[in-house]
Each structure stands twice: as structure tokens, then as C-alpha cells.
Amino acid sequence: MGSRSYSNLLELTSGEPPSVGRIISDLDEDSDSDTSAGPSSSPRDRTIVVANHLPIRAHRRPDGRGWTFSWDEDSLLLQLKDAIGDHCDMEFIYVGCLRDEIPPADQDEVGQILLETFKCVPAFLSPDLLTRFYHGFCKQHLWPLFHYMLPLSPELGGRFDRSLWQAYVSVNKIFADKILEVINPDEDFVWVHDYHLMVLPTFLRKRFNRVKLGFFLHSPFPSSEIYKTLLVREELLRALLNSDLIGFHTFDYARHFLSCCSRLLGLSYESKRGYIGLEYYGRTVSIKILPVGIHMGQLRSVLSLPETKVKVAKVVEQFRDRGRVMLLGVDDMDIFKGISLKLLAMEELLKQHAEWRGKVVLVQIANPARGRGRDVREVQEETQAMVRRINEAYGANGYEPVILINEPLQFYERMAHYVVAECCLVTAVRDGMNLIPYEYIIARQGNNNLDRILGLNPSTPKKSMLVVSEFVGCSPSLSGAIRVNPWNIEAVADAMVYALEMSEPEKQLRHEKHYRFVSIHDVGYWAKSFLQDLARTCQGHSKRRCWGIGFGLGFRVVALDSNFRKLSMEHIVSAYKRSKTRAILLDYDGTLMPQASIDKSPSSNSIEILNNLCADMNNVVFLVSARSRSTLSGWFSPCENLGMAAEHGYFLRLKRDAEWETCAPVADCSWKQIADPVMKLYTETTDGSTIEDKETAVVWSYEDADPDFGSCQAKELLDHLESVLANEPVSVKSGPHVVEVKPQGVNKGLVARRLLSVMQERGLSPDFILCIGDDRSDEDMFEIIGTAMASSSATPAAEVFACTVGRKPSKAKYYLDDTAEIVRLMQGLAAVSEQVRRSSQMSICKLSMQEEVRFGWTTLADSYNNHVHRANWIRTSGLPTEEVDRSSGRSPYRGGSRLKQ
């Protein structure tokens, strides 16, 4: 379903002011079918997998005429298809770039071949755009920052370059256009992978508001302190939140993302039945925590290859047959893999443990770096220099303690080294998932043919050892590994020795535990689980109405129930004019007063609006607040006829000069002696928190505290108070930045029920009810007025307007965007009442002479004031209007109506 709004998303990246303001489009529910850009239907579920690179290898023909293509067996994208494609009736289409540059003249032909033969849709980028996108913004800004490298100087990541950001957005737009060529938005799932395409969800959500979209981040996500240094931090967060499901390898990465959403966007999350969800403009964005796995079938097939057996035999001959114990490291040649720290640990081992000299060998396989630049060259030079130094210091004839393999290896060659290695070392200082330990575990499980080469009995339990950095994504999953801080050289050396000297039974137990986990949680398990959660998250798409709002990369979709709509000023004013008896209930904080305001007292404008509404004899206006009655009495003392309910409705009064009543039995507040010490404890330990002690309630607020710590403390305080107050007649509730203890059964719904009941008893059943609030405590009012007609509290033809502030799930049927719109609405209604009142004054002027003669009133002011006094008495006397009329011989004064002659 496409949005009717349009703005140039690239315009935002230039740093220039946008050419249009905030764009809002109300989308038709039936417009989906008109915007489908793909085939009309598909016989199977279909997933469009989008990543920077296609799982394809391209080769120029020897004669230079054309290209040949083959699957890239090492690609994770291909592995997930192989692992689940034949078992869940799922069709996969791939969108991405080729690793080779295709001349423009060949692009159409190549695109057609890849689509028909491999179901791949290539995105072709010019060399300059590719350089600025991949080697520029991705590798120069995002990749270092996500691995905790701050751009403190031009040498460390470099200063932010807006032209690289523009290239990044441009490439994401190109990918979106390619997806539009093949997508069926009503049926297809879209699965976007990794940090190269973080703004792609915005482009897709803008075109198809109900697209079923998942995103998985394969790199770490940094803590908020690191992430906040990025200039386009909010743009990337909002773009990711246009997904339906966002996946992370570990809880740490997800926690950092949620913290960024909280600190930068003010969003909160909650866990419901095991699922973590963020409420974002009426949509629930789910968070998935699941580490990726390896392709068991591929690894086992590689282990069974004849060339693997030959290579294993050569490695056995090179090391084991010469009495050497092999340690293995497999890393990309970049600054985050910790190769130099690993070499220093090896040097420390040889220095401190002379008994291992001549026996232990570290084989370091260095895969080619994915990036380029001075830092890569420095790592290569440092690694080679350290290898030479260690070998010169501790080597001997026929013995080199460190062997550096600095050339690309075939996958079977790498697996052969895994088979022989006694221990695998992964000492990255910051890394994503890193599947090297998983591959090592499967290789050490081996097979019968490899067992014979190794001289093992097939019935002998297998063994393996892992030394893994704490800062690697797979570390939490490998509980049997020796976890190390890679910066602590001595501790890593000790871990290596411990792994070498560990008893055989313990090595076997650790291997068995790891193998059981890795074999179950393979790439198929990961892909199926993600797609199942994506389908679950998207189940309600068709039941929601969608609005596209915002411009540029701030675009987002508001998804609401079909019967939930914005309150129209024309609609409510028309109903207001038609009605004769009105009940108006208003919340204060967050409704008439913005939550972010420092000065919470009402403005003179608010007082004037309320007085104008109260001056209309057709209106009964009530302010319903959680604040104390002393605060409300002081703030609204100029409002003579304003009804007020304090402390969620426990206290109630009909007008300024009336006595306060209680809507519930007199509260026993002895429980405060228990709650106060607990709340003071949390206040002392939570900077920025405060306690508000009311007559019947106590509120702990953390609005000015650190959002993460405050939220954590609030949860602890809630549990603590529920425990110590379990036998007291109170309820403990959490709200926006507060934890409140109040008497049981007290809520704002009591006020709505009491007011409607009193009006019904006095023969003033309302034919117009307006109730406005902004948070959970107001939902009780919405529920009561929603059933007013069914309970005969209102006239059968009454028009009921329950309105919440902001677009969010609510029992209200209407919404307004913010407090500014609420104030404008109140001003509009007050203006209508003022207009009616002036009309009434004109009527009184025409009759004043007759009234003076007939009733002895001497001035026009006296005449009008007596009419007002009489109307007030009629409204509050409790007598039926007709009885009052008969006793005086005059018609009741109702909203400026003419008097009987």
C-alpha cells in the first residue's frame, strides 16, 4: 500500500532545509491492490532476502565474451536457503550487488540471466558510488563505530563526511527500487541484512505501508555513549524502526539498541510472554535475540571430500607426527580481530613456560581484509614483524613456534587445520557473531575416515578446546569455552596453557556440550525462527489502518485500529452546537499541560478557556487529575464553576465553593509508614528521582533520572512495594516515569460514573460527552463513558467523544496529536459558548424593559445576573426542570433560550 505523500529522501542528506514541511497522508485501506509492483500471486510463501552482496560468483569467459555464474557456497544467504528452503515450502529471491564490476553494456543481459537462473536481482553501482558507499561510509564510519572506535582524529575513522552519507542513502534507494521490481507487497516477506542497508526499511515502508519487513544486524551494536557520537544517529534509528522485526546476535547488542531508542527517541519497551516489543506510532516493533548458526550439511560434506582427507594427512604429518601440539587462529586481517594480542600471548607462554618450547605451535590463518586503508597495512606489517621476532627468539632448527598463513585458503584446507588443532583461539577485541568456533567444533567431531587418519578409535569420545574473547558474539553461547579478556596478555597465555594441560575427560565433556548446542542451533534453526517471528509480528497488518507521516528519513507509519481516527474539529463543534446538556471531563498533565513543561501551573489562557466553558449553562466541566486537591485548588481558584477531582478521583467537588467529597470509603493511610522508607531508599540511590506525598497516595517519580537506570529502579521498586504492601488495602501501579501507591479501587472511572449518575438523578442526562486524557489512568474514564448509553446514563442519541493524546492503542475512539491541538479544540468550543452567550445577552436586552416592570428588577445587569443565578440553582437543586418552571411560572434558562412572556 503506497503513500500518497512524496518527498525527496535524498534531500535530507544534503544538509539543506527540506523544501516541504511535515507531510501527512491518510491512506485508503483498499489502496494496496493498486500499488502492487510485483506478480499478482505466488503459489508458495516467498521471502526476498536483501544484502550487500548476492550469493553469486561471477567469472569472465576466457574469450572475454560474456559471463558465467555459480553459487557462492560460503555465503550465509545461500546457506539459510539450503537449510530451510526444501522443508518449509519457502521460495527465496535475492537482491544485492555482485562482487565483480559489470560493464554497463552487459548489465541488462546479466540481470536477466541471474533472475531467470538463480532468482537473483542484481543492483549495479558505479565504481565511484560503490567506493563512497562501501569503503567510505560503511567501512569508514559505521563499521569502526559499531566496533567501538570513536573518530577522535582523522586517523581514527575520520571526520563525518556528508557526501559519503549521501552515497549511503543513494545506494539504499537503488536497492529499494530493485525490490520494487519483484515484490508482491501483500504476500512477500522482506528480510534485510546488516549495517550496509540500515535506511532501506524507510524507503520500503514509504512505498508499502504494510510491507512485512525484517532486519537482522550481523555486527555488534554499540552502547548509547558510543552511538550518540554519530551525526545521523536518529535517522538510522527511525529507519530501523520502520521494520517489523529487528534481530540481534546477543542480548547485549539488543540492549544497547533499546537504550539508544530510549535516550534519543524517548521510546520504552516491554516484554510480553517472552517477546520484546517497542511501541512506535501504533506499530509494535519486535526485537529478536538469536545467534546465527553454521550450515551442518555443508560442513559435513566438506569433511567428507577426498581433498580434505589428503590435506588432513599433510597437516598431521607436518605437526603431530613431529611431536608438535597445534594451536589455531583464523581471523580476518583487521584491527579488531586481536591478532597482535594473540601473538603477544603466545610469546608470553613461551617466555613463562619453557617446557612447551619446541612442542607447541600457533598456526595463524590470516584471511584477506574486507576493508582497505592505512590501518589494514599497519596490522599486516605489525603481525609480520611480531611473527619474525617470536620465531627468532624461540625458534630452532625445524621448529617455528608461529606459522603465519597470509594467503587465501580453500574452505576444505581451513577445515583440515580445524581437524588437527588441539585448541582454537579467538581473541578479537570486538566482533560480531564469529562462526570460527562453531566450525572448529564440527570439524573436531569429524567422521570415521578422518578418525582413521588421526589414529582414533571411532568409539572414542571426541574432544576440543576453545579460548574465546569475552567481546565476541558467540561467547555467551559457548559456556564450555575458556573466556578471556584479550587485552590481558598474561591471562590469555595462562588460558592457553590451561587448555593444553586440561584432562582428557574434561575436554570431552566440554566438546560434547558445545557440539550438542551447535548442531541444534544451526543456520536453519536461526532462519526458521526469525521468519516465524516475522510472520507472527505481521499477523495484524491487514486489520490496521495506516497513515504515512513525516518527510525524508523521518518518515514513519502510524498504524491504528480501523475504528480509531483523528477527532475532527468540524464534527465535534457541530455536535456541540446541537446538544443541550454536556459533560466534559479533562485530564490535566499531558492533556491541557505538556508533560515536558517545567512549570506545571496553568496559563492565563487555560484559565480563560475553562471559565468560558464553565460559563455556558449547558456545560458541566470537570478536571480529573492525579494531583492533590490543595494543588488543584490553588491553581484553579479563578474558576468558580469548574468541577474538580483530585488524586485519581478519590476527592471530588462540584464547584469552587463546594465541599470536597470522597468517591471511596475513608482511606486508612497507615500503610505509608511501610512505603515511605522503601521509597526514600530508592530516592537516595537514584539521582533525579523525587517523592510526592499526597493525602491518600504516594508517588515516586524518576522523570529527571537516567532513563535506563530510572526504569530499572522503578521495576525493582514496584516489586519491592508489592511485596511489603501485599496485605494492605492499596494498589501499586507504574505509569510514565512514576510508581504510585494509592487506595484500592480508586481510579478516574469513578469520577466519570459519579458525574453521569448525579446528572441522571437531576434529570440532566447528557446528550454530549467529551472525555480527553493521555495515559493509562484515563483509560478507566474512556471505558465508563463508552458504556454511558447502554447504562442509560446518557440520552439514547448522545454523542460520545473519548479522545486520547497521541496515536496509540487506547479504549478511546478518537485521538489528537498533542496538547496544542487539545487547547485549540477547547478554544473552539469555548468560542461557540461565548457566541451563544452573547446571543443570549442580546435577547435579554430586548426584553429588559418588560422584565423590569414585571419583576421589579431595576437594571439590565440585575436582570441578567438573576437569570444566571436561577439557571445555576436549577442545575444543582436536584428538582426536575418542569417543577421549577411551574413554581415560578417561567421557562428554565437553558443556554440563552428566550423567556416566556
Side-chain angles (χ1 to χ4, degrees), residues 145 149-151 160 224-233:
L145 189 75
M149 177 184 284
L150 290 173
F160 185 85
S224 60
E225 289 79 8
I226 300 293
Y227 181 79
K228 283 193 292 187
T229 63
L230 186 63
L231 269 67
V232 291
R233 57 194 191 178

Side-chain angles (χ1 to χ4, degrees), residues 311-312 314-316 318-320 323-330 346 356 359-365 399 401 403 405 409 413-425 440 444 465 496 499-500 507:
K311 185 62 180 178
V312 169
K314 289 182 179 179
V315 177
V316 168
Q318 181 181 359
F319 296 104
R320 183 177 292 189
R324 311 279 194 249
V325 178
M326 176 182 162
L327 306 178
L328 180 64
V330 180
M346 181 64 182
W356 284 104
K359 296 180 181 179
V360 65
V361 177
L362 171 62
V363 177
Q364 178 62 54
I365 299 175
Y399 170 68
I403 296 176
I405 303 177
L409 293 182
E413 295 177 298
R414 194 169 83 199
M415 291 295 290
H417 282 85
Y418 288 146
V419 171
V420 180
E422 285 296 311
C423 180
C424 183
L425 310 175
Y440 169 70
R444 290 290 289 179
M465 280 305 302
M496 294 161 67
L500 292 170
K507 290 181 180 180

Side-chain angles (χ1 to χ4, degrees), residues 8 29 44 157 238 247 299 365 368 413 429 455 459 478 532-533 544 661 675 707 712 886:
N8 186 354
E29 281 192 283
R44 300 195 293 170
R238 292 191 184 279
L299 294 184
I365 299 175
E413 295 177 298
V429 297
S459 61
L478 299 172
Q532 285 171 359
D533 271 13
R544 297 290 185 96
E661 308 172 22
C712 179
R886 288 194 299 271

Side-chain angles (χ1 to χ4, degrees), residues 14 26 46 94 130 170 220 303 315 374 378 432 550 562 628 648 674 678 683 719 736 747 758 793 818:
S14 66
D26 190 345
R46 203 169 64 156
Y94 295 100
L130 176 62
S170 298
L303 289 173
V315 177
R374 190 175 70 178
E378 289 176 351
S562 57
S628 66
H648 291 295
I674 304 173
V678 176
T683 304
D719 289 342
N747 59 65
V758 169
S793 299
D818 49 38

Side-chain angles (χ1 to χ4, degrees), residues 771-816:
C771 180
I772 307 178
D774 72 303
D775 60 26
R776 292 179 186 172
S777 64
D778 301 304
E779 296 295 316
D780 297 313
M781 287 197 297
F782 299 152
E783 185 176 10
I784 293 299
I785 70 167
T787 60
M789 287 182 287
S791 61
S792 302
S793 299
T795 62
E799 299 198 61
V800 178
F801 299 90
C803 178
T804 187
V805 182
R807 305 166 180 86
K808 57 181 181 285
S810 173
K811 294 176 183 176
K813 301 301 182 184
Y814 300 92
Y815 73 89
L816 288 173

